[in-house]
Amino acid sequence: MRFDQRAFRRIWRKKGKSAVLFCVLFVASLMVLVSVTILQTAQGASLRIKEKTASKVVLKSLDGANSIREETIGELSGKEEVSFANRTAEEEAYPVEFIPLTHSDSKEAENGMVRLTAYDDTGADGMFAEGKYRLLEGGKVDGENPRGILVDSLLAEANGFRIGDEVEFKAENGNRASGRIVGIFFCGMERKQDDAVMAAQRIENQIFVGHGLFEELYGKQGYSSVSLYTRTPEEVEALCEEAEQLAGREAEVTSSDTLYLRLQAPLKQVIRVTTGMLFLTIVTAVLVVSLLLCMWMRSRRKEFAVFVSLGESKLKILLQVFTESAGLFVLSVPLAVGCTAFFAGKMAKSLFSSEELSGMGEILIRGEYILLLTLVGVGIVVFASGISLWPTLRENPRDTLASMTDN
């Protein structure tokens, strides 16, 4: 009879012992699968947090002017950990063939100008990102619209502007540049300003443009603020120190990674606890399964001694013991997968209950998790089978049979 046939007949014949070993292997499989699933989900959520929290280092000009040099930003934005640099520059300009809004009677030049604010991406930083300004029509100024323009809805209404209209500006140095309106925004504070405020300082006359248009008017003269976004939020402090060394005399340097740190704290705790639980589960499973097999193996010494005496190889005896435990383990895996899938939703709500983490912790049982469970389970069974059978295989079968005959 083949060793596998003997193994399955042994499982069927010793139903009580098989049931005990099955329960142990099922609990171990369930704990391992739950631990691996939670661990992988938490690590995946951690990676998504890195992408979504937009940790950054912010440089703000000390004098409020465009005094942060292009060379400084070029060196910082060229670093591997910097994924995107959102530059901001501001200047006043004369409108060409349109009229700025003002309630002041001042004859100063500033009362006939508008303020241009250039961004690489208006949606990443500033008033739009903070929710103080909101788009009513169109889209934002970004890399796809380097000559795009955003105008206030009141300025657009007063001058009859629509999306797609071309608007021209004139700098004090005589340069002219034009771009097309890609969006119209609204603030809500326009009518709450003092009438004495000059046109160039009024919200209605603040116009957001791309750097392509801005540099045509003023050249690359520098920036009033720059946000350096990093793809590795855990290294934001190191980037902040480098920025201080390069731009310490030009700008105030601050870091913005509070949200990342706040979200990572509970995830790190989950990962740490789950890793410990996985390690403890594997060690406990090895000890319990080995102990059970060692206890039961004493009553099988004569059985194996007879097999060896009849010419059965010790390898096949080892394979029989392994097949007995492995067969029960294989039966426990689908049940463990089913239980884990059933409780997956409750685990997700419990572990990722905070508002910031909601939606990041969807627990799914993937094929690689089941494969990992299988490898761990096979490893436990192989180790436990070898440990329990080692004393028996070392003995001479004649000595074993003789000692049992004497008893």
Side-chain angles (χ1 to χ4, degrees):
M1 185 182 298
R2 300 197 312 270
F3 70 87
D4 55 327
Q5 293 176 323
R6 293 199 304 267
F8 290 118
R9 290 192 178 187
R10 168 80 183 184
I11 292 173
W12 182 255
R13 190 170 65 253
K14 301 293 183 179
K15 295 183 180 64
K17 292 182 178 180
S18 298
V20 171
L21 185 57
F22 173 80
C23 290
V24 171
L25 291 172
F26 164 69
V27 172
S29 299
L30 179 62
M31 294 297 292
V32 168
L33 185 58
V34 167
S35 299
V36 169
T37 302
I38 293 175
L39 189 60
Q40 294 297 323
T41 302
Q43 290 175 343
S46 179
L47 292 175
R48 287 192 291 275
I49 285 174
K50 286 185 178 182
E51 298 172 357
K52 293 183 178 182
T53 50
S55 296
K56 60 185 178 181
V57 172
V58 180
L59 290 77
K60 289 188 176 181
S61 173
L62 293 174
D63 57 8
N66 300 323
S67 55
I68 303 176
R69 294 177 301 128
E70 171 73 23
E71 294 77 10
T72 301
I73 300 308
E75 185 171 350
L76 287 170
S77 60
K79 294 186 177 297
E80 184 178 355
E81 61 268 28
V82 176
S83 58
F84 171 62
N86 197 17
R87 305 164 298 168
T88 305
E90 293 183 296
E91 281 289 355
E92 295 174 357
Y94 292 102
V96 177
E97 296 185 358
F98 73 94
I99 303 172
L101 299 181
T102 181
H103 297 284
S104 173
D105 296 329
S106 175
K107 302 300 182 180
E108 294 183 24
E110 188 180 13
N111 201 38
M113 304 176 78
V114 295
R115 175 164 287 272
L116 302 184
T117 304
Y119 274 97
D120 286 297
D121 187 340
T122 54
D125 294 283
M127 298 299 188
F128 293 98
E130 295 170 7
K132 296 178 180 178
Y133 291 3
R134 59 187 180 90
L135 282 172
L136 298 180
E137 298 179 56
K140 61 182 181 178
V141 172
D142 56 17
E144 296 181 0
N145 297 303
R147 301 182 65 83
I149 298 174
L150 300 181
V151 297
D152 185 273
S153 59
L154 297 182
L155 182 65
E157 182 181 355
N159 289 277
F161 289 150
R162 296 180 180 277
I163 300 293
D165 286 353
E166 187 167 342
V167 180
E168 187 176 7
F169 308 97
K170 179 181 177 182
E172 289 186 287
N173 60 16
N175 291 342
R176 290 190 176 212
S178 62
R180 293 191 179 278
I181 296 176
V182 296
I184 297 175
F185 68 89
F186 177 70
C187 171
M189 298 295 292
E190 290 93 340
R191 292 185 172 89
K192 297 181 181 181
Q193 301 171 96
D194 192 279
D195 289 346
V197 176
M198 295 288 190
Q201 304 303 323
R202 296 188 67 87
I203 296 172
E204 306 96 294
N205 300 319
Q206 183 178 16
I207 299 176
F208 295 89
V209 301
H211 279 286
L213 187 155
F214 191 88
E215 290 171 4
E216 189 173 337
L217 283 171
Y218 304 103
K220 293 186 177 182
Q221 60 179 9
Y223 309 102
S224 59
S225 70
V226 179
S227 294
L228 299 171
Y229 289 86
T230 175
R231 57 175 61 90
T232 52
E234 60 273 13
E235 297 181 7
V236 70
E237 291 302 325
L239 179 60
C240 188
E241 291 178 4
E242 292 182 49
E244 285 181 343
Q245 293 175 1
L246 289 172
R249 296 182 180 179
E250 306 169 20
E252 177 187 4
V253 181
T254 58
S255 61
S256 175
D257 61 344
T258 305
L259 178 60
Y260 170 76
L261 295 175
R262 188 171 76 245
L263 295 180
Q264 281 287 15
L267 280 178
K268 285 183 178 179
Q269 185 176 4
V270 169
I271 292 173
R272 185 165 54 250
V273 171
T274 306
T275 302
M277 185 173 73
L278 178 60
F279 176 77
L280 184 62
T281 298
I282 294 175
V283 172
T284 303
V286 169
L287 292 176
V288 174
V289 174
S290 298
L291 182 61
L292 287 175
L293 293 182
C294 287
M295 290 172 56
W296 297 339
M297 207 57 64
R298 291 184 177 182
S299 62
R300 304 182 68 181
R301 290 174 61 200
K302 183 177 180 180
E303 173 191 346
F304 293 139
V306 170
F307 282 147
V308 173
S309 299
L310 293 176
E312 191 74 20
S313 69
K314 292 183 179 180
L315 176 60
K316 288 187 177 181
I317 293 175
L318 177 61
L319 290 174
Q320 177 186 337
V321 175
F322 168 76
T323 303
E324 292 171 5
S325 301
L328 295 172
F329 168 72
V330 170
L331 293 176
S332 72
V333 170
L335 187 59
V337 172
C339 290
T340 304
F342 180 77
F343 292 108
K346 294 182 179 179
M347 287 192 294
K349 290 181 180 179
S350 176
L351 293 170
F352 306 96
S353 56
S354 65
E355 184 178 349
E356 295 90 346
L357 294 178
S358 60
M360 290 191 181
E362 184 181 1
I363 295 182
L364 299 174
I365 303 175
R366 305 183 186 277
E368 54 264 32
Y369 302 167
I370 300 175
L371 176 61
L372 182 59
L373 168 63
T374 303
L375 294 176
V376 171
V378 170
I380 292 173
V381 170
V382 169
F383 183 83
S385 300
I387 289 294
S388 62
L389 198 58
W390 178 249
T392 302
L393 295 180
R394 287 185 60 191
E395 289 182 336
N396 189 308
R398 294 182 181 180
D399 295 338
T400 304
L401 294 173
S403 63
M404 291 185 172
T405 302
D406 294 339
N407 293 333

